[in-house]
């Protein structure tokens, strides 16, 4: 080895750290360059592997009117379409744990998901070629019931996991038109290649504008006949091409353009289907309306005809009654005139005889027993006065009358109060019986319906809980209505029971204030009845005393009058009786003859009056029924006209809405409109741009370090190398 070589080896050995540092920096720059250059392609290759392995759609078709199965078939036959899968998606605001976030709910073919198997971490194998956008089940199971779902596993929202619930609050459209249930139980955690970017799952018009979570529900959770919101499809040949590449875009773009070219036909077909379905439903309803309208009009016409017939019958009956009334009035007037004339004559004669008889009888009585009666009357009068004064403890008849009148007044007040209290107690007793019957009937009816309660109050609580539960479950109104009716009846009975208890408490308290202690309204009624009977007995006793005073006073007056008339009447009695008997006999014969004729005429008139009154009663009853029927007819006609007009207007409005349905807009989208896929692809291209710039910085640093190190080495070995400028330039060039 020459001295020059030895010198070089010695220099390298002495500066081994510098040489290794230069080699490390150069290797690090090469490594960064190679790694960054491959990072973007590797990301796109991994995404393509995931997309192909999970059957991610190439084309997504959406419509402003949604899609039907017929639309799916129309898309399926487009040239270049391999697989087609319809789906229903709705953006909602949901409560997850303690948070309210925007979430995206999509339908899932549970059968296809259950039949599929995972192949590694980036592929799902399914025998169903139309099962697209396949999802990974990381934990739990697939949903089966309408109130079950699987939730995103890539991001925790509100701490919700398996066994928790997600409550749907509202959505971008009416949630009840899409979902059967608003409370969803989480049974599994999943991830989807449709959402490759976990930082954001897409944008929405709800909440903060960003989708915070996504979840999948079984098709059984969807309302019947709900329209698909999108149709996913794959393009022929796209599977073999890398997603996002020019070749892939060309292959998918060719099929997309074919779909766009047929967009007008798809829109027209969809419009025709929507209008046809709506028109069929409207035509069916219009037919029902016309049938009901014809039936209503026929019933009204029949009712009008019956009313007209009844009106004619009433008019005929009224005319007959008017004629009968005129005949009766004439007969009654003639009979009255005859009776008046006859009785005027008879009464005049009878008056004379009666006056004479009264006078004779009065005088005869005075003559026959005046003395004896007067003595007995005076004795009885004295005994009655003494007995009455002993009973009342009074010193005179006036004082006794005052005491007895006061007793009658107090008894009347007591009777009025006791009668009012007795009526209240009787009403409470009746009310208790009615309440017990009504409560028994309600509890019996609820028991027959499967609701067993010990009291109406308990039944009310059970009914309120049942109604609340059914409303929370979204049960139909016809299922809740009977429970609401029973709840209303139970509420009324509870209020009636409270009112009854308050009335009974008030009654017993009032009786206690009067010194009458009773355990319940029945005992109160019994005690009040006893008190009322005793009070009435006291009043009767006092009234008897007053009547006795009146009789005593009347007796005294009669005795005095009899004594005065006794002496004058004896002289005229004998002559008067003879004349009286003769006149009375003659008058009685005349009266019997006249009364016989008048009775015959009166019987005929009474018969006519009975028939007339019966006819009037029938006419009044018929008129009342007619007026009631007429009022019912007018009301029914008015209600029917209003209801028919409203129904016809609704049908016309519905027809106008159907006619005004515009042709839907059809949008054909590819993966470049998928926010997650687009974001992921953009990130991979950003890495490519970084790879173009960042390694240059490392190469520049490595060159500067190498140059600095070599300059220092040259300076250190200047003696061995020489000091000539040519040698220095030579080494520096190295």
């Amino acid at each position: 080895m020459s001295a020059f070589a030895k010198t070089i080896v010695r220099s390298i050995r002495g500066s081994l750290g510098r040489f290794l540092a230069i080699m490390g920096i150069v290797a690090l720059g090469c490594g960064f360059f190679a790694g960054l250059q491959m990072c973007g392609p590797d990301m796109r290759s991994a995404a393509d592997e995931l997309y192909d392995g999970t059957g991610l759609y190439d084309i997504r078709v959406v419509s402003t009117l949604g899609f039907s199965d017929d639309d799916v078939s129309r898309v399926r036959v487009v040239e270049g379409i391999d697989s087609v899968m319809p789906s229903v998606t709705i953006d909602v605001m949901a409560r997850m744990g303690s948070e309210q976030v925007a979430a995206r709910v999509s339908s899932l073919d549970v059968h296809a998901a259950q039949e599929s198997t995972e192949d590694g971490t980036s592929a799902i194998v399914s025998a169903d070629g139309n099962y697209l956008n396949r999802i990974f089940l990381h934990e739990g199971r697939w949903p089966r019931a309408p109130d079950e779902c699987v939730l995103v596993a890539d991001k925790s929202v509100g701490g919700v996991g398996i066994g928790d619930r997600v409550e749907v609050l509202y959505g971008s459209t009416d949630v009840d038109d899409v979902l059967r249930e608003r409370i969803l139980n989480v049974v599994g955690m999943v991830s989807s290649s449709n959402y490759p970017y976990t930082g954001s799952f897409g944008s929405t018009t709800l909440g903060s504008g960003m989708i915070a979570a996504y979840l999948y529900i079984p098709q059984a959770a969807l309302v019947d006949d709900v329209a698909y919101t999108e149709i996913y499809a794959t393009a022929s040949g796209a599977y073999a091409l890398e997603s996002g590449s020019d070749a892939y875009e060309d292959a998918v773009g060719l099929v997309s353009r074919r779909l766009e070219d047929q967009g007008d036909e798809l829109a027209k077909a969809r419009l025709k289907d929507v209008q046809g379905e709506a028109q069929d439903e409207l035509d069916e309803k219009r037919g029902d309306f016309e049938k009901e309208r014809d039936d209503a009009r026929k019933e009204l016409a029949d009712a009008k005809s019956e009313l007209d017939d009844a009106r004619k019958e009433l008019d005929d009956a009224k005319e007959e009654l008017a004629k009968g009334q005129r005949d009766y009035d004439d007969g009654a007037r003639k009979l009255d005139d005859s009776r008046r004339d006859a009785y005027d004559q008879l009464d005049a004669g009878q008056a004379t005889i009666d006056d004479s008889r009264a006078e004779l009888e009065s005088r005869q009585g005075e003559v026959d027993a005046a003395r004896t009666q007067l003595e007995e009357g005076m004795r009885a009068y004295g005994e009655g006065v003494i007995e009455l004064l002993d009973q009342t403890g009074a010193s005179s008849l006036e004082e006794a009358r005052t005491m007895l009148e006061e007793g009658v007044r107090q008894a009347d007040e007591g009777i009025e109060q006791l009668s009012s209290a007795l009526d209240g107690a009787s009403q409470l007793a009746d009310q208790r019986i009615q309440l017990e019957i009504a409560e028994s009937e309600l509890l019996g009816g609820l028991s027959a319906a499967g609701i067993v309660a010990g009291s109406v109050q308990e039944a009310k609580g059970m009914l309120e809980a049942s109604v609340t539960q059914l409303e929370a479950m979204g049960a139909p109104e016809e299922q809740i209505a009977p429970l609401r009716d029973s709840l209303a009846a139970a509420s009324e009975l509870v209020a009636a029971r409270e009112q009854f208890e308050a009335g009974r408490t008030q009654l017993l308290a009032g009786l206690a204030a009067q010194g009458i202690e009773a355990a319940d309204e029945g005992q109160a009624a019994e005690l009040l009845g006893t008190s009322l009977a005793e009070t009435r007995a006291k009043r009767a006793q006092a009234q008897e005393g007053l009547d006795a005073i009146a009789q005593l006073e009347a007796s005294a007056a009669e005795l005095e009058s009899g004594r005065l008339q006794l002496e004058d009447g004896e002289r005229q009695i004998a002559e008067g009786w003879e004349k009286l008997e003769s006149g009375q006999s003659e008058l009685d014969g005349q009266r019997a003859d006249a009364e016989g004729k008048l009775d015959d005429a009166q019987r005929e008139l009474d018969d006519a009056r009975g028939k007339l009154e019966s006819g009037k009663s029938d006419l009044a009853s018929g008129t009342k029924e007619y007026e009631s029927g007429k009022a019912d007819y007018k009301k029914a006609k008015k209600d029917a006209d209003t209801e028919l007009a409203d129904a016809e207007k609704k049908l016309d409005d519905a027809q106008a809405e159907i006619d005004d349905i515009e042709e839907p807009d059809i949008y054909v989208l590819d993966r470049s409109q998928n926010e997650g896929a687009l974001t992921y692809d953009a990130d991979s291209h950003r890495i490519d741009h970084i790879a173009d710039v960042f390694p240059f910085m490392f190469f520049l640093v490595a060159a500067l370090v190498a140059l600095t190190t070599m300059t220092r080495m040259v300076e250190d070995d200047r003696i061995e190398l020489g000091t000539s400028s040519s040698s220095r330039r030579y080494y520096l060039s190295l």
Side-chain angles (χ1 to χ4, degrees):
M1 182 180 294
S2 63
F4 179 72
K6 291 180 179 179
T7 301
I8 292 175
V9 171
R10 190 182 303 115
S11 298
I12 293 173
R13 186 180 298 150
S15 303
L16 181 61
R18 295 174 181 174
F19 279 97
L20 292 177
I22 292 172
M23 292 176 62
I25 290 173
V26 172
L28 183 62
C30 293
F32 263 97
F33 177 75
L36 290 175
Q37 285 292 331
M38 291 304 298
C39 185
D42 287 346
M43 287 177 64
R44 290 188 289 274
S45 177
D48 181 67
E49 182 180 358
L50 175 65
Y51 297 159
D52 293 341
T54 57
L56 183 64
Y57 72 91
D58 296 316
I59 299 172
R60 175 171 169 254
V61 186
V62 296
S63 167
T64 54
L65 285 181
F67 297 104
S68 65
D69 291 330
D70 293 336
D71 296 314
V72 176
S73 299
R74 295 183 184 106
V75 172
R76 192 186 305 276
V77 298
V78 173
E79 183 181 357
I81 295 295
D82 270 353
S83 303
V84 175
M85 184 187 76
S87 177
V88 177
T89 300
I90 180 175
D91 291 346
V92 301
M93 285 298 295
R95 180 179 287 110
M96 296 186 180
S98 60
E99 299 183 19
Q100 290 187 14
V101 298
R104 180 159 291 166
V105 182
S106 301
S107 62
L108 171 66
D109 187 345
V110 177
H111 177 73
Q114 290 175 337
E115 295 298 324
S116 62
T117 57
E118 295 185 12
D119 184 9
T121 60
S122 61
I124 298 176
V125 179
S126 174
D128 186 355
N130 291 316
Y131 176 36
L132 306 180
N133 306 333
R134 303 163 194 163
I135 58 178
F136 292 92
L137 179 63
H138 297 291
E139 185 180 359
R141 61 175 176 82
W142 297 108
R144 293 187 293 268
D147 61 345
E148 295 180 344
C149 70
V150 290
L151 184 65
V152 54
D154 301 323
K155 182 179 180 181
S156 177
V157 181
V160 175
I162 295 177
D164 296 327
R165 300 195 308 174
V166 175
E167 180 181 0
V168 178
L169 304 176
Y170 60 90
S172 54
T173 59
D174 190 350
V175 175
D176 294 330
D177 291 340
V178 180
L179 304 180
R180 293 182 183 273
E181 303 289 343
R182 284 179 175 262
I183 304 297
L184 302 175
N185 298 308
V186 179
V187 298
M189 307 298 290
V190 298
S191 62
S192 172
S193 60
N194 199 12
Y195 303 95
Y197 184 64
T198 59
S200 172
F201 299 127
S203 58
T204 181
T205 58
L206 302 176
S208 63
M210 300 301 294
I211 299 295
Y214 63 85
L215 49 92
Y216 289 90
I217 59 174
Q219 293 175 345
L222 299 175
V223 174
D224 294 337
D225 299 328
V226 64
Y228 301 122
T229 56
E230 60 246 328
I231 299 176
Y232 295 108
T234 58
S236 299
Y239 178 83
L241 303 174
E242 183 178 287
S243 176
S245 65
D246 293 340
Y248 172 82
E249 296 294 338
D250 292 340
V252 174
L254 177 62
V255 180
S256 297
R257 285 190 294 274
R258 290 173 183 165
L259 281 172
E260 290 173 352
D261 292 341
Q262 295 187 16
D264 291 340
E265 295 181 5
L266 292 174
K268 291 178 181 178
R270 181 55 182 163
L271 176 61
K272 183 178 179 181
D273 291 343
V274 172
Q275 286 182 328
E277 293 174 1
Q279 189 65 52
D280 290 342
E281 184 177 355
L282 180 61
D283 290 342
E284 182 179 355
K285 291 183 178 179
R286 187 178 293 277
D288 295 339
F289 162 75
E290 291 176 352
K291 182 178 182 301
E292 292 178 0
R293 179 191 61 192
D294 294 340
D295 292 342
R297 289 178 176 175
K298 184 177 183 302
E299 290 178 1
L300 289 172
D302 293 342
K304 183 65 168 59
S305 177
E306 291 179 0
L307 285 173
D308 292 341
D309 294 341
R311 177 74 266 176
K312 185 176 182 305
E313 292 179 0
L314 288 173
D315 291 340
D316 294 342
K318 188 181 296 183
E319 181 62 29
E320 292 180 2
L321 284 174
K323 182 178 180 301
Q325 185 67 50
R326 289 193 297 269
D327 295 341
Y328 172 80
D329 292 339
D330 292 341
R333 185 170 55 255
K334 292 178 180 179
L335 180 60
D336 289 339
D337 292 341
S338 299
R339 181 181 286 109
R340 185 168 53 252
D341 293 342
Y343 280 110
D344 286 344
Q345 296 175 5
L346 293 172
D347 290 343
Q350 185 66 50
T352 303
I353 295 174
D354 289 341
D355 292 340
S356 300
R357 184 184 298 278
E359 184 178 359
L360 289 173
E361 288 176 350
S362 177
R363 292 178 181 180
Q364 184 67 52
E366 293 173 353
V367 171
D368 291 341
R371 297 300 178 186
T372 304
Q373 183 178 0
L374 182 60
E375 292 174 357
E376 292 177 355
M378 292 300 294
R379 186 174 56 255
Y381 173 79
E383 292 175 354
V385 170
I386 293 172
E387 182 180 359
L388 182 62
L389 295 178
D390 291 338
Q391 290 177 355
T392 59
S395 59
S396 65
L397 287 178
E398 291 299 324
E399 183 180 355
R401 179 187 290 108
T402 302
M403 294 174 63
L404 290 172
E405 288 177 347
E406 179 64 21
V408 169
R409 186 187 64 78
Q410 292 179 355
D412 288 338
E413 292 179 355
I415 289 172
E416 182 178 358
Q417 294 177 357
L418 291 172
S419 296
S420 177
L422 179 58
D423 291 340
S426 299
Q427 290 177 359
L428 283 175
D430 294 339
Q431 185 178 0
R432 181 188 63 187
I433 294 173
Q434 294 174 358
L435 273 176
E436 291 174 350
I437 293 173
E439 289 173 348
S440 176
E441 291 177 350
L442 177 62
L443 294 176
L446 292 178
S447 176
I451 301 178
V452 180
S455 65
V456 175
Q457 183 68 38
E458 182 182 353
K460 179 184 176 185
M462 296 172 68
L463 288 170
E464 288 176 345
S466 298
V467 170
T468 302
Q469 182 178 4
L470 289 176
E471 289 177 344
M473 293 173 62
E477 182 62 23
E478 57 267 18
Q479 184 178 353
I480 305 178
L483 293 179
R484 284 184 177 156
D485 294 339
S486 298
L487 177 58
S491 300
E492 290 178 358
L493 287 177
V494 170
R497 171 60 71 176
E498 293 175 353
Q499 182 180 5
F500 165 75
E501 294 295 338
R504 180 168 66 179
T505 302
Q506 182 179 3
L507 173 66
L508 297 179
L511 293 178
Q514 297 177 12
I516 301 175
E517 298 293 338
D520 55 22
E521 66 280 358
Q523 186 180 6
E526 183 178 352
L527 294 175
L528 286 170
T530 302
S531 299
L532 181 60
E534 294 174 354
T535 304
R536 285 175 175 168
K538 291 179 181 179
R539 186 194 185 286
Q541 185 178 1
Q543 186 63 45
E544 288 177 358
L546 290 175
D547 293 340
I549 292 175
Q551 290 176 359
L552 288 172
E553 292 176 345
S555 296
E558 290 176 358
L559 290 172
E560 181 63 22
S561 176
R563 187 184 66 78
L564 294 175
Q565 295 176 2
L566 179 60
E567 295 176 357
D568 296 333
E570 288 184 34
R571 293 186 300 268
Q572 302 175 5
I573 291 175
E575 296 177 358
W577 277 115
E578 185 177 354
K579 293 180 180 180
L580 180 65
E581 292 299 332
S582 177
Q584 183 65 57
S585 178
E586 183 179 357
L587 184 62
D588 288 342
Q590 295 175 356
R591 183 181 297 276
D593 184 48
E595 288 180 349
K597 294 179 180 179
L598 290 173
D599 289 342
D600 292 340
Q602 185 64 51
R603 280 193 293 272
E604 293 179 0
L605 192 62
D606 290 341
D607 291 340
R609 181 176 181 81
K611 294 179 180 178
L612 188 62
E613 293 299 329
S614 177
K616 287 181 178 180
S617 177
D618 294 341
L619 178 62
S621 177
T623 302
K624 183 178 180 181
E625 293 179 1
Y626 169 78
E627 293 298 333
S628 176
K630 184 177 180 181
D632 292 342
Y633 168 77
K634 289 182 178 179
K635 183 178 183 301
K637 186 175 185 303
K638 180 180 179 181
D639 294 343
D641 291 341
T642 301
E643 292 177 1
L644 290 174
D646 292 342
E648 190 165 9
K649 184 177 183 303
K650 290 180 181 179
L651 290 173
D652 292 340
D653 292 343
Q655 184 64 59
E657 291 179 2
I658 293 174
D659 296 337
D660 292 340
I661 296 176
E662 297 181 355
E663 189 173 292
D665 295 328
I666 304 295
Y667 300 97
V668 180
L669 310 175
D670 55 26
R671 290 182 188 172
S672 63
Q673 279 81 30
N674 183 312
E675 187 171 341
L678 181 63
T679 302
Y680 185 88
D681 186 69
D683 288 344
S684 70
H685 285 90
R686 290 189 186 97
I687 297 297
D688 290 340
H689 296 317
I690 293 174
D692 292 338
V693 177
F694 197 71
F696 174 76
M697 303 294 295
F698 278 91
F699 282 122
L700 180 61
V701 170
L704 291 175
V705 171
L707 180 61
T708 301
T709 303
M710 292 175 65
T711 301
R712 184 181 298 276
M713 291 175 63
V714 170
E715 292 293 335
D716 292 342
D717 297 337
R718 186 180 300 166
I719 297 175
E720 286 82 1
L721 297 176
T723 59
S724 64
S725 59
S726 59
S727 298
R728 184 177 300 168
R729 286 194 299 271
Y730 172 75
Y731 280 107
L732 287 176
S733 64
L734 297 177

